[in-house]
Amino acid sequence: MVRLGAWRVALRIARRDALRAKGRSALIVAMIALPVLGVTGADVVHRSGQLSPAERVERVVGGADALVTALDPGRTVEQAPVAEDGAFAVQPRPGEQPTAEQLKGAGTDPVTLVGALLPPGSALTPARPGPETGATSPEGLVRTLTTEANLADPIWRGRIDLVEGRAPSAPHEVAVTRAFLDHSGLKPGGTTTVQGLERTTYTITGVVEHPDELGRVELVARPGELLDQLIAAQSADRPAAGKGPAERGAWLVRLPSGTALDWAEVQRFNAHGYTLTARSVALAPPPARAVPYYRDAFRLGDQATGKNTEVVVATVTGMALLEVALLAGPAFAVGARRSRRQLALLGAAGGRRTHVGAVVLGGGLVLGAVGAVAGVALGTGLVAALRPQIERVGGTRFGHFALPPLDLLAIAGIGLVTALLAAALPAVQAARRSVTAGLTGRDTVRGPSRWVTVGGVLLVAAGAVLAMYGAGAVQRDQPGIGGYDTRTLTVLGGSVTAELGLLLCTPMLVALVGRAAGRLPLGPRLALRDSARHRSRTAPAVAAVMAAVAGAVAIGVYTTSTDAENRRDYRPQAPYGAVQLTSHVDGPRLDRLRGELEKQLTGLGPRGDLAEVQYRFCDNCSSVVQLKGPVNLRGLGAPPHLAAGDATVLHNLFAVHDPAVEQALAAGKLLVFDKSLVGADGKAVMMLRGGSGTVQPGEVPKPDLQEVPVDAVLVDNPAAAGFAQGLVLPSVLPRLGLSAQPTGSVWLPATPPDRKSQQRAEAAAVRLDRMAELTIERGFQPKSDALTLALTGFAALVVLGAAGIATGLAAADSRQDQATLAAVGAPPRIRRTMAGLQCALIALLGALLGAANGFVPAVGLLKSRASGFGAKPALITAPWVELLVVVLVLPVVAGLLAALFTKSRIPLGRRLS
């Protein structure tokens, strides 16, 4: 036991050593401070983004007292205390009769009903969202959401904030979001027109933002100047269009002075099909057992969804701290070895072994405290300085700048404990070193412990079994720790156990590699034997590389596999690069529209005019014809239908180039691309719906569903089956009592047009047809490449850093051996060769172990996610390019850099015996 006075002396010696070796001390402080900085920044950002009840409700109701939304009038609704956090309409049971409230909600004017349910004297301000539309820009057309708000009224403050310019105050003035300006290229003071209202020019006077959705592309007009006119214009062009989001009413509510709403009032609104977010309820929410939504939403949704990423990030953070301990350990060992004569003198003067260990451990305490405090301070300051950029990237504003003292103290404590753990092994080794060995500079070499290796192997096996068991056998949604389900915690616990087992096996693996040195030339043989002999500096560096590579590979495999699954589930609308024009005009207008697009987009190639097969069962009555058979709605890029067109449509829309198929189409055959739609007799059955038209006297009424078998040619092409059920020539349809309704055209250029050209073409199209749509199939767009690249870069830095630290320690330790080699005539290049090969060995061994271990948590999490009801099998893929860079290229680069920066000349020194 070390007394307090001895600790004071030990800390004083450690402080002086740290000041004497400023370079090594700065390296250790930086290694401690960097992860503390990262964790501090992440914690401050996370806590600042956690809104208080007052901040959360302000972003929903603004300066009002409540927000009422007509979610589904006529059906019972269940909601969270803040309806925007979750709400749904309850499905009625078979045979269940509607309640009086449901009948009243379905048959009463919404404004009248809302006013009757609120306290007398309440004032309503419409807050309905408008439809999505197009707005003109210098490049053409940009898609945008719409709404109306009097931004001069404080009731909108907190819900929609004016951040630049002024609020619209005159007719035809609008405010837009920053994302609208970024997408359109416009600036405040510019003008734009709205698709469907091209005769009205709107002037942009200000910039607004939704604090909860900074990336929202939206145009905000004054009340009564946009939405009604826009909906009327869209309804005139699409008379059969169903209700859209613009017809879902919403109102901000100002209550009379002295009144408030309670949870019972919220449930009254829910019984009529309306949601109610009240400020008073949000600030004093009811107990969870009184909220039916919490009970029923758990049954309807997967509560573990979205947790995987958080758990992986937490695991990687823990692995980062482990890497710091492993990297800083050799650095403390450098200091202990360079100070071994001083420590030996301390022992010779009467100091006990505990005193020697306390000096080394005191170095960890001093440098760890400095690094932890510096990391917390820098992390906090960095978040404060970069707050606008962090909010913009995150897409939401902070509720407040949070500095939770307990969190920051815990993070600093973890950094300090990490430094102490890093210094623990060098302290034990220094305490065990004999005084004679310290004075003479000689160390005894011990073999690796077999029991430790056996324990490591058992941990690897147990961890792998536990992770796989958790992925496949543990039931989902069982409550765990910290809000995470038992399955996810089991998978990650097994992964961490396996990695700790590999850490324990590292010294034996290094020793086994050293046994192969006898068959190698002089330089590699010396490098391998030296690394195997001094496992106390080689093994931690290998383990640090392994931990870094394992974390990067785990998230790399997880994100790459997720991208592969998303690519598998992606359903394209047409072949890659296809340009599709959708328009419901016909005749000369459609021809002019096609010609204008071909003028705007050059190099489109041959045009295929596309039509939809329809069945007209009376005047102005028609239905879309489909083929009988199992219809996989998720497998079709568009609603299931039959397409009508020629061979060019066959090429452009289905990417089929087969002379036999083209001959069958020209002969009037129906081409079917899904074998499940063709019977054993080679016929496909057309379903003609609709027979309720006017019946003349003496006529037999047609059935509501007719099935017409026709000869079909099967083109077994699963990709083409996703674009339409089949294709037939328009000239064949009249014989079957059918017609072809033109729907547009399709082109298949060699390369898809760029997005600016698409904007210009869209603007030209809407000038001729306000409801025309232009789509370009660009294929699946992955979103995780930047993350995988960043993780690979992080792993590369750790690989190079760990290998470099271990190589520097080896150079410091082996000065006497190098002097002996020089004395017996070894060429100068031997020193460079040894340094390069040692560095490459550490990097290669750690990268191989880390790459293998990184697959365990990724595979476990992927299998866990894919084991839910109705889930598709998991796809396990790896970022092979990044893996090759980390496993093969980086070790070579590390070895070359070490050889390049190592001095060939060896200074001779004296030796004591």
Side-chain angles (χ1 to χ4, degrees):
M1 186 72 179
V2 182
R3 296 180 179 179
L4 181 61
W7 271 112
R8 291 176 181 172
V9 175
L11 290 175
R12 190 181 304 121
I13 295 174
R15 179 177 61 83
R16 290 176 178 176
D17 283 347
L19 293 175
R20 186 180 300 114
K22 293 183 176 61
R24 186 180 70 247
S25 300
L27 174 65
I28 296 174
V29 168
M31 284 191 291
I32 300 297
L34 282 176
V36 171
L37 182 152
V39 177
T40 299
D43 183 73
V44 171
V45 170
H46 175 66
R47 294 295 188 181
S48 300
Q50 289 181 323
L51 304 180
S52 66
E55 293 166 342
R56 178 71 184 102
V57 74
E58 183 183 23
R59 296 192 177 183
V60 176
V61 306
D65 298 304
L67 173 69
V68 178
T69 303
L71 181 65
D72 198 344
R75 292 173 62 182
T76 301
V77 168
E78 293 182 4
Q79 68 164 82
V82 176
E84 283 64 26
D85 292 339
F88 61 87
V90 179
Q91 295 290 339
R93 297 176 181 176
E96 183 179 4
Q97 296 299 318
T99 63
E101 290 85 356
Q102 291 173 343
L103 293 174
K104 187 176 180 180
T108 307
D109 175 68
V111 176
T112 303
L113 179 61
V114 171
L117 294 176
L118 288 170
S122 301
L124 299 181
T125 299
R128 60 175 177 168
E132 182 178 344
T133 186
T136 56
S137 69
E139 296 294 343
L141 199 70
V142 60
R143 304 301 298 177
T144 179
L145 299 173
T146 56
T147 191
E148 291 179 346
N150 179 11
L151 297 177
D153 190 341
I155 198 172
W156 294 98
R157 219 164 280 158
R159 180 179 171 91
I160 303 177
D161 293 331
L162 183 69
V163 295
E164 183 181 336
R166 62 174 178 84
S169 57
H172 305 150
E173 288 185 345
V174 297
V176 298
T177 60
R178 177 67 60 187
F180 179 95
L181 297 179
D182 294 340
H183 283 72
S184 65
L186 294 170
K187 296 180 180 179
T191 60
T192 185
T193 60
V194 176
Q195 185 179 353
L197 303 174
E198 286 81 1
R199 295 183 179 180
T200 304
T201 300
Y202 294 93
T203 302
I204 300 173
T205 64
V207 181
V208 297
E209 70 177 22
H210 293 259
D212 249 358
E213 193 178 357
L214 299 181
R216 187 182 181 96
V217 180
E218 190 172 57
L219 184 146
V220 183
R222 298 198 312 160
E225 290 194 356
L226 178 63
L227 296 190
D228 290 337
Q229 298 88 324
L230 185 58
I231 293 172
Q234 291 186 350
S235 299
D237 288 309
R238 293 181 180 176
K243 289 186 176 183
E247 296 182 65
R248 176 181 292 179
W251 301 267
L252 294 172
V253 181
R254 278 196 180 104
L255 297 174
S257 178
T259 60
L261 299 171
D262 57 15
W263 182 243
E265 295 289 335
V266 174
Q267 292 184 307
R268 281 184 59 200
F269 274 87
N270 293 165
H272 292 81
Y274 290 73
T275 62
L276 171 64
T277 299
R279 187 185 300 273
S280 55
V281 174
L283 296 180
R289 63 179 179 275
V291 183
Y293 170 83
Y294 291 148
R295 178 191 66 239
D296 297 335
F298 186 86
R299 291 187 296 102
L300 297 175
D302 181 7
Q303 302 302 306
T305 301
K307 296 289 188 182
N308 284 341
T309 302
E310 297 178 15
V311 178
V312 171
V313 170
T315 304
V316 172
T317 301
M319 291 302 173
L321 294 174
L322 176 62
E323 291 159 18
V324 170
L326 294 171
L327 287 171
F332 281 114
V334 171
R337 290 179 185 277
R338 291 188 175 180
S339 303
R340 55 188 166 187
R341 182 175 177 81
Q342 173 185 322
L343 297 175
L345 290 174
L346 177 63
R352 296 196 299 269
R353 291 188 174 186
T354 53
H355 294 154
V356 175
V359 172
V360 180
L361 202 61
L365 184 62
V366 170
L367 297 178
V370 174
V373 172
V376 169
L378 290 174
T380 304
L382 199 61
V383 173
L386 299 178
R387 177 176 177 175
Q389 290 79 5
I390 295 172
E391 291 175 334
R392 185 166 60 250
V393 171
T396 59
R397 293 290 181 200
F398 290 169
H400 56 285
F401 190 74
L403 294 176
L406 293 180
D407 287 13
L408 299 182
L409 285 175
I411 293 169
I414 291 174
L416 180 59
V417 170
T418 302
L420 291 175
L421 290 176
L425 183 59
V428 171
Q429 292 173 340
R432 289 178 177 178
R433 185 180 297 118
S434 67
V435 174
T436 304
L439 292 174
T440 58
R442 295 172 180 172
D443 289 321
T444 19
V445 178
R446 297 183 180 182
S449 172
R450 294 184 178 180
W451 289 111
V452 172
T453 304
V454 171
V457 172
L458 293 177
L459 283 178
V460 170
V465 171
L466 182 63
M468 294 301 106
Y469 172 78
V474 176
Q475 185 177 355
R476 185 184 288 273
D477 295 338
Q478 290 184 354
I481 301 174
Y484 303 121
D485 64 353
T486 306
R487 169 182 289 182
T488 303
L489 292 176
T490 304
V491 170
L492 292 174
S495 305
V496 173
T497 302
E499 181 153 356
L500 292 177
L502 276 179
L503 292 179
L504 296 179
C505 295
T506 303
M508 180 61 75
L509 293 174
V510 173
L512 292 175
V513 171
R515 293 184 180 179
R519 303 175 183 177
L520 300 177
L522 176 62
R525 181 166 67 250
L526 292 175
L528 286 182
R529 286 179 175 174
D530 185 72
S531 298
R533 185 181 301 113
H534 298 283
R535 289 178 297 278
S536 60
R537 55 173 161 79
T538 305
V542 171
V545 173
M546 181 191 71
V549 173
V553 169
I555 296 188
V557 171
Y558 185 85
T559 54
T560 305
S561 300
T562 302
D563 271 350
E565 292 177 355
N566 293 337
R567 189 185 301 275
R568 174 194 64 190
D569 299 336
Y570 175 74
R571 293 295 175 259
Q573 302 291 325
Y576 176 76
V579 179
Q580 281 187 283
L581 167 67
T582 303
S583 175
H584 296 284
V585 301
D586 52 13
R589 288 183 62 192
L590 183 56
D591 292 335
R592 289 198 302 271
L593 184 57
R594 291 163 171 164
E596 183 64 25
L597 281 184
E598 291 178 326
K599 186 186 302 182
Q600 293 290 334
L601 301 174
T602 59
L604 290 178
R607 184 186 78 206
D609 293 336
L610 192 60
E612 189 176 61
V613 179
Q614 292 187 352
Y615 170 52
R616 298 188 181 276
F617 50 90
C618 69
D619 294 338
N620 298 322
C621 304
S622 64
S623 63
V624 177
V625 177
Q626 299 179 15
L627 295 181
K628 184 178 181 180
V631 177
N632 181 10
L633 295 177
R634 294 183 61 186
L636 283 163
H641 66 278
L642 280 178
D646 56 11
T648 308
V649 174
L650 179 67
H651 300 158
N652 294 353
L653 181 60
F654 300 97
V656 174
H657 299 269
D658 187 336
V661 176
E662 295 175 13
Q663 291 177 6
L665 178 65
K669 299 291 186 180
L670 170 65
L671 304 182
V672 180
F673 303 99
D674 187 350
K675 59 183 178 182
S676 65
L677 302 177
V678 180
D681 56 356
K683 293 182 179 293
V685 178
M686 291 184 175
M687 295 190 299
L688 314 182
R689 299 183 183 275
S692 57
T694 304
V695 180
Q696 300 297 328
E699 288 185 350
V700 178
K702 299 178 181 178
D704 288 336
L705 176 62
Q706 302 178 58
E707 296 184 354
V708 180
V710 295
D711 293 331
V713 174
L714 175 62
V715 183
D716 193 2
N717 190 323
F723 308 140
Q725 290 183 317
L727 177 66
V728 65
L729 281 177
S731 58
V732 177
L733 298 177
R735 300 202 304 262
L736 301 173
L738 306 175
S739 62
Q741 176 62 39
T743 58
S745 299
V746 58
W747 296 264
L748 190 60
T751 56
D754 58 45
R755 298 188 184 275
K756 288 187 176 181
S757 301
Q758 182 179 356
Q759 282 193 22
R760 288 194 296 268
E762 286 178 338
V766 298
R767 284 196 294 267
L768 299 174
D769 176 14
R770 290 183 298 182
M771 308 317 307
E773 295 181 4
L774 179 68
T775 58
I776 299 177
E777 179 55 55
R778 302 185 185 276
F780 174 73
Q781 302 295 319
K783 299 179 180 180
S784 59
D785 290 342
L787 175 62
T788 305
L789 186 61
L791 288 169
T792 304
F794 167 73
L797 290 176
V798 174
V799 169
L800 296 176
I805 290 172
T807 304
L809 177 57
D813 279 350
S814 59
R815 285 183 178 179
Q816 294 180 353
D817 296 336
Q818 297 286 351
T820 302
L821 287 174
V824 297
R829 68 174 181 274
I830 286 294
R831 193 164 188 254
R832 288 183 182 270
T833 303
M834 285 185 62
L837 291 175
Q838 282 178 328
C839 192
L841 171 67
I842 292 169
L844 179 62
L845 188 57
L848 288 173
L849 292 175
N853 190 56
F855 274 86
V856 177
V859 172
L861 287 174
L862 289 167
K863 288 187 174 296
S864 172
R865 186 178 64 183
S867 59
F869 177 75
K872 293 184 177 181
L875 284 181
I876 311 299
T877 57
W880 294 112
V881 175
E882 289 80 2
L883 279 179
L884 289 175
V885 169
V886 172
V887 174
L888 295 180
V889 177
L890 277 179
V892 175
V893 172
L896 292 176
L897 290 176
L900 180 64
F901 290 103
T902 300
K903 295 180 180 180
S904 299
R905 188 175 179 181
I906 305 171
L908 297 178
R910 63 187 180 89
R911 305 190 72 156
L912 296 177
S913 54

